[in-house]
Amino acid sequence: MNAHAASCWHCGEGLPADAPQAVVAGVAHPVCCQGCRAAAEWIDQLGLGDYYRVRSATAPRAPDLAQAQRSADAWQRPELARHAVRTLATGQSEALLLVDGIRCAACVWLIERALGAVSGVQSVQVNASAQRARIVWDAQRTTLPAILQALARTGYSALPLDAASLDDSRRRESRAALKRLAVAGFGTMQAMMYASALYLGAVETMDPATRELMRWFGLLVATPVVFYSARPFFQGAWRALRARTLGMDVPVAIAIALIYVASLVQALRGGGEVYFDSVSMFVFLLLGGRYLEMRARHRAGNLADAMARLAPAFADRLRTDGTLERVGVHELTPGDRVHVAHGMRLPADGVLESATCRVDEALLSGESAALPKRRGDALTGGSMVVEGPAILCVRQVGANTALAGIAALVARAQSERPRLARAGERAAAGFVARTLALAALCAIGWSFLDPARAFEATLAVLVVSCPCAFALAVPAAITRALAVLAARGVFVVRTDAIENLALASHAVFDKTGTLTDAHLELVGIDAADRDEALALAAALARGSRHPVAQALAQAASGLPMRAADSLRTIEGGGLEGSIDGRTYRLGNPAFALGAGRDDDDAVILAGAQGNDGERVEIAAFRLSERVRPGAREAVAALVASGIDIEIASGDAGSKVAVVAERLGIGRWRARQSPAAKLERLRELRAGGARVLAVGDGINDAPVLAGADVAVALASGAELAQAAGDVILDGANLAALPAARAIARETLAVLKQNQRWALAYNLAAVPLAALGLVSPWLAALGMSASSLIVVLNALRIGRDVPASAAPAPARTPADLRRWA
């Protein structure tokens, strides 16, 4: 018995003082909760106790079985099940589950055997890297809820994905590429083995019958490589030729066809050299490079899986009588009230109705710490309630939620082809034309010098000069950059923006909603005793949700707390209350002091004095817009990177000047209409500047459209509607300098890739044309060149630190001062 163990035997988490014991194989082990105890003993009852011996990592903490039971039962409803279960032609049912907590091969072994023990389950396929499980079962003998319950009893939480995920194009593409690569790899090994026998046999005078047999064996293994594995190259070449363009598949297809046909002719004639090993190796190395490029491209789409993890499949909707009913998320409508338990995710965007809670928005805004929320605060679907429960009033559902907005932005970015990519494709087409011309000249030249070597030299030129690396240079770098930026909450809507962001020389910022946020900030106190005055004002302010009151209460957070009695809110005036028997007022001058002083923007604290209750001024508080968190760091980093910054705002000059001074921005313009802002952008661009405009994405849309690259700050449902080339999720301005650094690194890597591809071809082509490079060595060099390009692109973003400033909490945008 591990009585003194410091962690749970099942999941590795800390043990409570009264840790329960799980009995497995007759031995008691301490566990952290009843869920882990039930999971461990269930695994032992299934006869799968070896899991604990062979695992290389601890299991996930077991889910609460009562909660798991309720979640599983919800999938019994046909309106929910039809979105996750697909009926096969054989009558069987199929579902794809997103399983949390798969940490090692032992987890895969355990899940497959635990589900295999469920009556009616016919097939279980677990993908550990994607944390997905594909289940096929007999609907007459078991159900999806029974399968989910079995997983929960084993200690794993699972979310059924939409049935469309079973037909995921990335999954099909990856499987097809792996099969072609496997066939090519096997064929290459076998062809090399037979070719080695031929080469060695030539020295040791192999008898003719054996030599012919080796040739036919080489033909046998190379044929499926050419007709199956190399099929994408022939298809790509045919599409390019039909479109009257010269893609990089054209010389590849010509080289493969020439090598195979020539070797086939030689095998049929029974004489001369055969190149079955060369063509097999050529195809295998090409497919290997393309497979790595495909994996890098698929990583850019992994955000969709992250979004699937954030969005719950169902919600607990409150009925009018206060009871709960479990419904699918797609059944929610604006106005519904939803109960979200501690540790669960919000099913939709809405407003908090309960008093308080804390939510984790790490995957949405980048904020690592849980954010406190109060009644009336906006909540974003997909956030996790870490202190709850919470009552959510639904405001946005379906395509109008923040998660849907993020998915739309990613889809838009991935569907666009940037100018750099189009230019690279045109350059590659020209390179292909020159390659074919050079190969023809090589064939003609060698036909005069040494006809026996003409074919081999021509093939070497075709293979070694294939512009694969040149054509991969741009898409590999752009794809990697998009993935890195998306992971940091920076969504590139128009991929040309990467180039423009990297080359920007000037930045024009809007002020309201961009450099400042919705909060107010105390900037000055006129009082004889500032601390005493602030403590008194905070005692009154703590009872109000008004932005001015919140700013004063926050400013006094380090002072001793005073208590106020008989608090009243006077609409249009301010607050009144009693502190230590004296009546105080806090608000605008007319309210706090009476008539005669109504032209001052200050917030006045006044106290009653004397028997007649005359109010006298105790303090005047000066408040201004609060500079957005991370704005100072963002401005300083952009200036350090060589960008000239100015502010163009429609606000009054005094307010713009204060913000500019606090941020260290020397040039600013106030009272600017949208037309004036656009004219300023035109002036800068006419002077040769490449202009970066930063605004809130909604109100500033016309101005952003006039910049070389537009960056919009947006959050929540605004994400999908925001106008901009680049959108910062969560209005996290501090992410902008990192995005620019990644964009600049992308251009640097892109140039490195193109220079490498050009240098390689300039060095290798002459050697091949002179007959110094054999076809198989040319294939190796070409593939190595492509591999270097892909690996170099994967460096993007690794050395760029993430934004150090936290993303701001989302707050109501409508802030009204006391009139």
Side-chain angles (χ1 to χ4, degrees):
M1 175 175 172
N2 302 327
H4 302 288
S7 58
C8 174
W9 186 67
H10 179 74
C11 71
E13 295 193 9
L15 292 173
D18 54 345
Q21 302 286 318
V23 180
V24 177
V27 179
H29 301 274
V31 290
C32 63
C33 62
Q34 294 297 332
C36 285
R37 174 187 176 183
E41 293 182 347
W42 174 248
I43 291 171
D44 183 53
Q45 291 174 23
L46 291 175
L48 302 175
D50 283 344
Y51 161 73
Y52 293 104
R53 179 176 56 81
V54 301
R55 65 179 178 176
S56 58
T58 56
R61 182 165 185 166
D64 179 81
L65 290 182
Q67 178 67 32
Q69 176 78 34
R70 293 180 60 238
S71 300
D73 288 345
W75 292 98
Q76 195 72 42
R77 300 174 56 198
E79 56 268 30
L80 265 183
R82 72 170 184 266
H83 292 279
V85 179
R86 183 171 68 176
T87 302
L88 303 177
T90 58
Q92 299 167 320
S93 297
E94 179 186 39
L96 189 67
L97 308 181
L98 198 59
V99 185
D100 283 329
I102 300 179
R103 298 176 178 174
C104 62
C107 293
V108 175
W109 176 86
L110 177 62
I111 291 172
E112 289 179 344
R113 281 156 181 77
L115 292 184
V118 177
S119 176
V121 172
Q122 299 175 346
S123 173
V124 180
Q125 298 175 359
V126 180
N127 184 328
S129 60
Q131 296 201 334
R132 293 186 177 194
R134 177 180 175 271
I135 318 295
V136 178
W137 69 92
D138 183 353
Q140 302 298 322
R141 298 170 59 194
T142 191
T143 61
L144 179 59
I147 293 171
L148 295 175
Q149 291 169 23
L151 263 177
R153 294 186 68 181
T154 312
Y156 295 90
S157 299
L159 170 66
L161 295 177
D162 192 279
S165 300
L166 292 165
D167 296 322
D168 182 68
S169 60
R170 287 187 296 154
R171 174 172 168 263
R172 295 200 309 272
E173 183 185 11
S174 182
R175 290 187 63 182
L178 271 177
K179 287 192 290 186
R180 296 184 192 279
L181 185 62
V183 171
F186 177 79
T188 299
M189 289 188 295
Q190 295 300 313
M192 290 295 293
M193 181 179 69
Y194 300 136
S196 299
L198 284 174
Y199 300 148
L200 295 175
V203 177
E204 300 176 2
T205 63
M206 179 186 295
D207 65 272
T210 304
R211 179 182 295 274
E212 289 303 312
L213 185 61
M214 293 297 105
R215 291 173 182 269
W216 285 102
F217 278 159
L219 172 63
L220 182 66
V221 297
T223 297
V225 174
V226 171
F227 286 93
Y228 174 70
S229 296
R231 185 178 178 184
F233 303 116
F234 292 113
Q235 291 174 330
W238 177 244
R239 284 194 298 267
L241 293 175
R242 288 185 62 184
R244 298 184 179 181
T245 61
L246 291 175
M248 69 175 181
D249 285 333
V250 173
V252 170
I254 292 175
I256 293 172
L258 285 177
I259 297 173
Y260 180 77
V261 171
S263 299
L264 176 61
V265 170
Q266 295 290 7
L268 293 174
R269 292 173 54 186
E273 294 292 333
V274 292
Y275 303 99
F276 294 123
D277 56 328
S278 296
V279 71
S280 300
M281 179 182 290
F282 183 38
V283 173
F284 174 69
L285 294 174
L286 268 177
L287 289 175
R290 291 201 175 183
Y291 181 76
L292 291 176
E293 185 268 335
M294 178 198 68
R295 289 292 300 272
R297 175 164 42 86
H298 284 181
R299 288 193 188 100
N302 285 344
L303 187 64
D305 282 352
M307 294 298 105
R309 291 179 186 275
L310 290 181
F314 41 79
D316 291 330
R317 184 166 58 190
L318 281 165
R319 298 188 179 98
T320 54
D321 61 359
T323 59
L324 298 177
E325 63 170 336
R326 178 145 292 193
V327 299
V329 169
H330 62 280
E331 297 179 68
L332 294 177
T333 59
D336 284 347
R337 299 172 67 244
V338 176
H339 177 274
V340 185
H342 169 85
M344 303 301 289
R345 293 195 179 273
L346 299 169
D349 295 353
V351 174
L352 181 65
E353 282 200 354
S354 51
T356 61
C357 71
R358 293 177 69 86
V359 297
D360 180 2
E361 297 183 347
L363 289 180
L364 289 168
S365 66
E367 170 61 68
S368 58
L371 302 176
K373 299 289 183 178
R374 298 180 183 179
R375 182 180 288 111
D377 284 351
L379 297 176
T380 305
S383 305
M384 177 180 286
V385 177
V386 295
E387 287 185 14
I391 303 299
L392 172 74
C393 181
V394 176
R395 289 287 184 265
Q396 302 289 345
V397 296
N400 295 322
T401 62
L403 286 179
I406 291 174
L409 291 177
V410 173
R412 286 167 61 186
Q414 291 177 344
S415 64
E416 287 207 355
R417 294 167 62 248
R419 185 194 63 80
L420 288 171
R422 296 192 296 270
E425 289 173 3
R426 288 193 297 269
F431 198 90
V432 167
R434 289 189 289 271
T435 296
L436 295 176
L438 182 60
L441 290 176
C442 179
I444 294 172
W446 277 105
S447 65
F448 288 106
L449 297 175
D450 187 355
R453 299 181 61 186
F455 183 71
E456 183 173 317
T458 303
L459 287 181
V461 169
L462 273 175
V463 172
V464 80
S465 62
C466 176
C468 294
F470 195 84
L472 281 174
V474 175
I478 295 295
T479 299
R480 171 65 180 176
L482 290 175
V484 172
L485 290 171
R488 299 185 183 212
V490 180
F491 300 100
V492 180
V493 180
R494 297 174 181 86
T495 45
D496 284 338
I498 292 179
E499 179 184 15
N500 291 328
L501 180 60
L503 300 177
S505 60
H506 287 69
V508 178
F509 282 83
D510 178 48
K511 178 185 72 70
T512 306
T514 302
L515 293 173
T516 62
D517 64 12
H519 294 279
L520 299 175
E521 188 174 33
L522 180 64
V523 295
I525 305 176
D526 297 331
D529 186 341
R530 295 184 178 183
D531 287 349
E532 173 68 12
L534 184 57
L536 291 171
L540 299 174
R542 288 191 184 96
S544 172
R545 292 285 296 152
H546 195 281
V548 172
Q550 289 181 343
L552 292 173
Q554 183 177 0
S557 58
L559 299 176
M561 186 176 295
R562 306 284 290 273
D565 301 320
S566 306
L567 275 172
R568 290 194 308 143
T569 299
I570 309 301
E571 189 67 30
L575 297 169
E576 183 180 71
S578 175
I579 304 175
D580 297 332
R582 184 182 181 185
T583 301
Y584 293 88
R585 280 191 175 185
L586 177 69
N588 61 54
F591 165 71
L593 298 173
R597 185 179 175 182
D598 57 359
D599 59 345
D600 196 340
D601 284 339
V603 177
I604 303 299
L605 173 67
Q609 180 174 284
N611 295 329
D612 57 358
E614 179 184 358
R615 292 186 297 275
V616 296
E617 180 177 330
I618 298 174
F621 300 96
R622 310 282 177 180
L623 293 99
S624 71
E625 296 170 292
R626 189 178 75 177
V627 171
R628 183 179 293 280
R632 292 185 182 89
E633 295 82 355
V635 168
L638 289 174
V639 170
S641 71
I643 290 185
D644 293 330
I645 296 180
E646 63 181 78
I647 300 175
S649 173
D651 212 341
S654 59
K655 297 181 178 180
V656 179
V658 170
V659 173
E661 181 181 0
R662 293 169 68 185
L663 293 176
I665 298 175
R667 291 195 299 273
W668 53 269
R669 295 167 181 257
R671 298 297 185 189
Q672 296 285 291
S673 66
K677 293 180 182 180
L678 276 173
E679 182 59 32
R680 177 56 181 163
L681 295 182
R682 292 192 189 99
E683 290 176 6
L684 291 172
R685 297 178 71 183
R690 190 168 294 207
V691 182
L692 161 69
V694 187
D696 64 11
I698 304 296
N699 302 322
D700 299 322
V703 178
L704 294 178
D708 291 289
V709 56
V711 176
L713 281 70
S715 59
E718 296 175 353
L719 278 168
Q721 289 79 38
D725 304 318
V726 178
I727 297 179
L728 305 181
D729 180 27
N732 184 12
L733 194 62
L736 182 56
R740 173 171 161 83
I742 291 171
R744 298 176 75 176
E745 185 181 13
T746 300
L747 289 193
V749 167
L750 193 153
K751 291 178 180 177
Q752 291 170 7
N753 286 347
Q754 290 179 328
R755 288 169 182 167
W756 159 253
L758 183 60
Y760 162 76
N761 280 280
L762 290 177
V765 169
L767 296 177
L770 293 173
L772 301 178
V773 178
S774 61
W776 71 267
L777 187 58
L780 184 62
M782 181 276 303
S783 299
S785 175
S786 300
L787 181 61
I788 289 172
V789 164
V790 173
L791 294 178
N792 190 40
L794 292 178
R795 297 190 304 106
I796 294 174
R798 288 184 177 176
D799 298 327
V800 178
S803 161
R810 293 180 173 89
T811 57
D814 182 22
L815 299 179
R816 299 185 302 273
R817 288 178 179 268
W818 285 309

mmCIF file of all heavy atoms in Angstrom, residues 566-591:
data_model
loop_
_atom_site.group_PDB
_atom_site.id
_atom_site.type_symbol
_atom_site.label_atom_id
_atom_site.label_comp_id
_atom_site.label_asym_id
_atom_site.label_seq_id
_atom_site.Cartn_x
_atom_site.Cartn_y
_atom_site.Cartn_z
ATOM 1 N N SER A 566 -26.324 54.234 4.173
ATOM 2 C CA SER A 566 -27.418 54.990 3.544
ATOM 3 C C SER A 566 -27.054 55.467 2.144
ATOM 4 O O SER A 566 -27.304 56.625 1.773
ATOM 5 C CB SER A 566 -27.810 56.189 4.423
ATOM 6 O OG SER A 566 -28.120 55.782 5.734
ATOM 7 N N LEU A 567 -26.438 54.600 1.365
ATOM 8 C CA LEU A 567 -26.019 54.966 0.015
ATOM 9 C C LEU A 567 -27.216 55.159 -0.893
ATOM 10 O O LEU A 567 -28.164 54.364 -0.884
ATOM 11 C CB LEU A 567 -25.097 53.883 -0.566
ATOM 12 C CG LEU A 567 -23.611 53.979 -0.209
ATOM 13 C CD1 LEU A 567 -22.878 52.741 -0.699
ATOM 14 C CD2 LEU A 567 -22.984 55.231 -0.803
ATOM 15 N N ARG A 568 -27.187 56.231 -1.680
ATOM 16 C CA ARG A 568 -28.223 56.477 -2.668
ATOM 17 C C ARG A 568 -27.576 56.908 -3.977
ATOM 18 O O ARG A 568 -26.575 57.614 -3.982
ATOM 19 C CB ARG A 568 -29.173 57.602 -2.205
ATOM 20 C CG ARG A 568 -30.070 57.245 -1.052
ATOM 21 C CD ARG A 568 -31.176 58.293 -0.913
ATOM 22 N NE ARG A 568 -30.641 59.660 -0.853
ATOM 23 C CZ ARG A 568 -31.228 60.714 -1.416
ATOM 24 N NH1 ARG A 568 -32.345 60.565 -2.124
ATOM 25 N NH2 ARG A 568 -30.702 61.926 -1.290
ATOM 26 N N THR A 569 -28.160 56.452 -5.064
ATOM 27 C CA THR A 569 -27.701 56.881 -6.385
ATOM 28 C C THR A 569 -28.695 57.880 -6.928
ATOM 29 O O THR A 569 -29.896 57.582 -7.045
ATOM 30 C CB THR A 569 -27.588 55.683 -7.347
ATOM 31 O OG1 THR A 569 -26.637 54.757 -6.827
ATOM 32 C CG2 THR A 569 -27.130 56.142 -8.728
ATOM 33 N N ILE A 570 -28.207 59.054 -7.264
ATOM 34 C CA ILE A 570 -29.061 60.111 -7.793
ATOM 35 C C ILE A 570 -28.843 60.151 -9.305
ATOM 36 O O ILE A 570 -27.740 60.486 -9.781
ATOM 37 C CB ILE A 570 -28.727 61.489 -7.171
ATOM 38 C CG1 ILE A 570 -28.704 61.380 -5.649
ATOM 39 C CG2 ILE A 570 -29.704 62.540 -7.661
ATOM 40 C CD1 ILE A 570 -30.005 60.920 -5.042
ATOM 41 N N GLU A 571 -29.872 59.794 -10.068
ATOM 42 C CA GLU A 571 -29.748 59.739 -11.519
ATOM 43 C C GLU A 571 -29.350 61.100 -12.067
ATOM 44 O O GLU A 571 -29.980 62.110 -11.773
ATOM 45 C CB GLU A 571 -31.081 59.292 -12.144
ATOM 46 C CG GLU A 571 -30.983 58.994 -13.618
ATOM 47 C CD GLU A 571 -30.138 57.779 -13.907
ATOM 48 O OE1 GLU A 571 -30.095 56.857 -13.054
ATOM 49 O OE2 GLU A 571 -29.517 57.737 -14.980
ATOM 50 N N GLY A 572 -28.299 61.122 -12.877
ATOM 51 C CA GLY A 572 -27.829 62.372 -13.468
ATOM 52 C C GLY A 572 -26.998 63.205 -12.529
ATOM 53 O O GLY A 572 -26.578 64.306 -12.902
ATOM 54 N N GLY A 573 -26.776 62.714 -11.321
ATOM 55 C CA GLY A 573 -25.998 63.515 -10.361
ATOM 56 C C GLY A 573 -24.793 62.781 -9.836
ATOM 57 O O GLY A 573 -23.661 63.129 -10.125
ATOM 58 N N GLY A 574 -25.024 61.729 -9.050
ATOM 59 C CA GLY A 574 -23.908 60.998 -8.470
ATOM 60 C C GLY A 574 -24.350 60.141 -7.318
ATOM 61 O O GLY A 574 -25.449 59.575 -7.338
ATOM 62 N N LEU A 575 -23.532 60.103 -6.273
ATOM 63 C CA LEU A 575 -23.773 59.235 -5.125
ATOM 64 C C LEU A 575 -23.834 60.064 -3.850
ATOM 65 O O LEU A 575 -23.125 61.074 -3.703
ATOM 66 C CB LEU A 575 -22.656 58.189 -4.992
ATOM 67 C CG LEU A 575 -22.499 57.192 -6.136
ATOM 68 C CD1 LEU A 575 -21.205 56.414 -5.991
ATOM 69 C CD2 LEU A 575 -23.680 56.239 -6.167
ATOM 70 N N GLU A 576 -24.655 59.599 -2.928
ATOM 71 C CA GLU A 576 -24.763 60.254 -1.616
ATOM 72 C C GLU A 576 -24.771 59.167 -0.556
ATOM 73 O O GLU A 576 -25.385 58.110 -0.728
ATOM 74 C CB GLU A 576 -26.038 61.101 -1.529
ATOM 75 C CG GLU A 576 -26.164 61.861 -0.216
ATOM 76 C CD GLU A 576 -27.441 62.675 -0.171
ATOM 77 O OE1 GLU A 576 -28.526 62.044 -0.053
ATOM 78 O OE2 GLU A 576 -27.360 63.907 -0.275
ATOM 79 N N GLY A 577 -24.069 59.409 0.544
ATOM 80 C CA GLY A 577 -24.029 58.437 1.617
ATOM 81 C C GLY A 577 -23.454 59.035 2.876
ATOM 82 O O GLY A 577 -22.975 60.182 2.892
ATOM 83 N N SER A 578 -23.486 58.247 3.949
ATOM 84 C CA SER A 578 -23.019 58.721 5.247
ATOM 85 C C SER A 578 -21.798 57.909 5.663
ATOM 86 O O SER A 578 -21.805 56.670 5.594
ATOM 87 C CB SER A 578 -24.138 58.576 6.287
ATOM 88 O OG SER A 578 -23.670 58.924 7.570
ATOM 89 N N ILE A 579 -20.760 58.619 6.108
ATOM 90 C CA ILE A 579 -19.532 57.978 6.582
ATOM 91 C C ILE A 579 -19.198 58.583 7.933
ATOM 92 O O ILE A 579 -18.999 59.806 8.060
ATOM 93 C CB ILE A 579 -18.358 58.201 5.596
ATOM 94 C CG1 ILE A 579 -18.726 57.699 4.200
ATOM 95 C CG2 ILE A 579 -17.098 57.508 6.101
ATOM 96 C CD1 ILE A 579 -17.664 58.003 3.158
ATOM 97 N N ASP A 580 -19.168 57.731 8.961
ATOM 98 C CA ASP A 580 -18.869 58.161 10.325
ATOM 99 C C ASP A 580 -19.803 59.287 10.772
ATOM 100 O O ASP A 580 -19.401 60.259 11.420
ATOM 101 C CB ASP A 580 -17.404 58.617 10.453
ATOM 102 C CG ASP A 580 -16.432 57.488 10.175
ATOM 103 O OD1 ASP A 580 -16.805 56.320 10.403
ATOM 104 O OD2 ASP A 580 -15.305 57.767 9.715
ATOM 105 N N GLY A 581 -21.085 59.177 10.354
ATOM 106 C CA GLY A 581 -22.086 60.139 10.781
ATOM 107 C C GLY A 581 -22.158 61.402 9.967
ATOM 108 O O GLY A 581 -23.016 62.258 10.227
ATOM 109 N N ARG A 582 -21.284 61.589 8.992
ATOM 110 C CA ARG A 582 -21.290 62.803 8.167
ATOM 111 C C ARG A 582 -21.772 62.462 6.768
ATOM 112 O O ARG A 582 -21.392 61.445 6.208
ATOM 113 C CB ARG A 582 -19.900 63.414 8.119
ATOM 114 C CG ARG A 582 -19.834 64.739 7.372
ATOM 115 C CD ARG A 582 -18.407 65.254 7.339
ATOM 116 N NE ARG A 582 -18.333 66.546 6.639
ATOM 117 C CZ ARG A 582 -17.203 67.192 6.372
ATOM 118 N NH1 ARG A 582 -16.032 66.657 6.756
ATOM 119 N NH2 ARG A 582 -17.217 68.351 5.736
ATOM 120 N N THR A 583 -22.607 63.300 6.186
ATOM 121 C CA THR A 583 -23.148 63.061 4.855
ATOM 122 C C THR A 583 -22.214 63.618 3.793
ATOM 123 O O THR A 583 -21.728 64.757 3.912
ATOM 124 C CB THR A 583 -24.531 63.716 4.713
ATOM 125 O OG1 THR A 583 -25.407 63.174 5.698
ATOM 126 C CG2 THR A 583 -25.112 63.454 3.324
ATOM 127 N N TYR A 584 -21.976 62.792 2.776
ATOM 128 C CA TYR A 584 -21.080 63.195 1.683
ATOM 129 C C TYR A 584 -21.804 62.997 0.354
ATOM 130 O O TYR A 584 -22.714 62.164 0.234
ATOM 131 C CB TYR A 584 -19.809 62.337 1.664
ATOM 132 C CG TYR A 584 -18.902 62.535 2.851
ATOM 133 C CD1 TYR A 584 -19.076 61.782 4.010
ATOM 134 C CD2 TYR A 584 -17.879 63.472 2.804
ATOM 135 C CE1 TYR A 584 -18.244 61.949 5.096
ATOM 136 C CE2 TYR A 584 -17.039 63.658 3.896
ATOM 137 C CZ TYR A 584 -17.215 62.888 5.028
ATOM 138 O OH TYR A 584 -16.396 63.067 6.111
ATOM 139 N N ARG A 585 -21.390 63.790 -0.612
ATOM 140 C CA ARG A 585 -21.858 63.620 -1.982
ATOM 141 C C ARG A 585 -20.647 63.503 -2.925
ATOM 142 O O ARG A 585 -19.651 64.206 -2.747
ATOM 143 C CB ARG A 585 -22.740 64.797 -2.421
ATOM 144 C CG ARG A 585 -24.162 64.711 -1.925
ATOM 145 C CD ARG A 585 -25.042 65.753 -2.598
ATOM 146 N NE ARG A 585 -26.439 65.597 -2.215
ATOM 147 C CZ ARG A 585 -27.430 66.309 -2.733
ATOM 148 N NH1 ARG A 585 -27.161 67.252 -3.649
ATOM 149 N NH2 ARG A 585 -28.674 66.112 -2.346
ATOM 150 N N LEU A 586 -20.801 62.643 -3.926
ATOM 151 C CA LEU A 586 -19.745 62.450 -4.925
ATOM 152 C C LEU A 586 -20.391 62.486 -6.302
ATOM 153 O O LEU A 586 -21.299 61.700 -6.590
ATOM 154 C CB LEU A 586 -19.047 61.093 -4.716
ATOM 155 C CG LEU A 586 -17.964 60.713 -5.721
ATOM 156 C CD1 LEU A 586 -16.735 61.596 -5.557
ATOM 157 C CD2 LEU A 586 -17.564 59.240 -5.558
ATOM 158 N N GLY A 587 -19.973 63.433 -7.143
ATOM 159 C CA GLY A 587 -20.564 63.511 -8.464
ATOM 160 C C GLY A 587 -20.171 64.772 -9.181
ATOM 161 O O GLY A 587 -19.116 65.364 -8.901
ATOM 162 N N ASN A 588 -21.005 65.209 -10.093
ATOM 163 C CA ASN A 588 -20.660 66.423 -10.834
ATOM 164 C C ASN A 588 -20.817 67.627 -9.915
ATOM 165 O O ASN A 588 -21.500 67.578 -8.892
ATOM 166 C CB ASN A 588 -21.510 66.548 -12.096
ATOM 167 C CG ASN A 588 -22.988 66.646 -11.814
ATOM 168 O OD1 ASN A 588 -23.438 67.495 -11.045
ATOM 169 N ND2 ASN A 588 -23.767 65.761 -12.443
ATOM 170 N N PRO A 589 -20.169 68.740 -10.269
ATOM 171 C CA PRO A 589 -20.168 69.893 -9.358
ATOM 172 C C PRO A 589 -21.561 70.394 -8.998
ATOM 173 O O PRO A 589 -21.818 70.763 -7.845
ATOM 174 C CB PRO A 589 -19.385 70.952 -10.137
ATOM 175 C CG PRO A 589 -18.488 70.160 -11.036
ATOM 176 C CD PRO A 589 -19.294 68.962 -11.422
ATOM 177 N N ALA A 590 -22.477 70.434 -9.957
ATOM 178 C CA ALA A 590 -23.816 70.937 -9.671
ATOM 179 C C ALA A 590 -24.518 70.087 -8.630
ATOM 180 O O ALA A 590 -25.256 70.586 -7.774
ATOM 181 C CB ALA A 590 -24.633 70.989 -10.962
ATOM 182 N N PHE A 591 -24.305 68.785 -8.675
ATOM 183 C CA PHE A 591 -24.941 67.886 -7.712
ATOM 184 C C PHE A 591 -24.237 67.949 -6.360
ATOM 185 O O PHE A 591 -24.883 68.031 -5.306
ATOM 186 C CB PHE A 591 -24.906 66.458 -8.253
ATOM 187 C CG PHE A 591 -25.204 65.399 -7.221
ATOM 188 C CD1 PHE A 591 -26.480 65.243 -6.702
ATOM 189 C CD2 PHE A 591 -24.192 64.570 -6.747
ATOM 190 C CE1 PHE A 591 -26.750 64.277 -5.740
ATOM 191 C CE2 PHE A 591 -24.453 63.599 -5.792
ATOM 192 C CZ PHE A 591 -25.733 63.459 -5.286
#
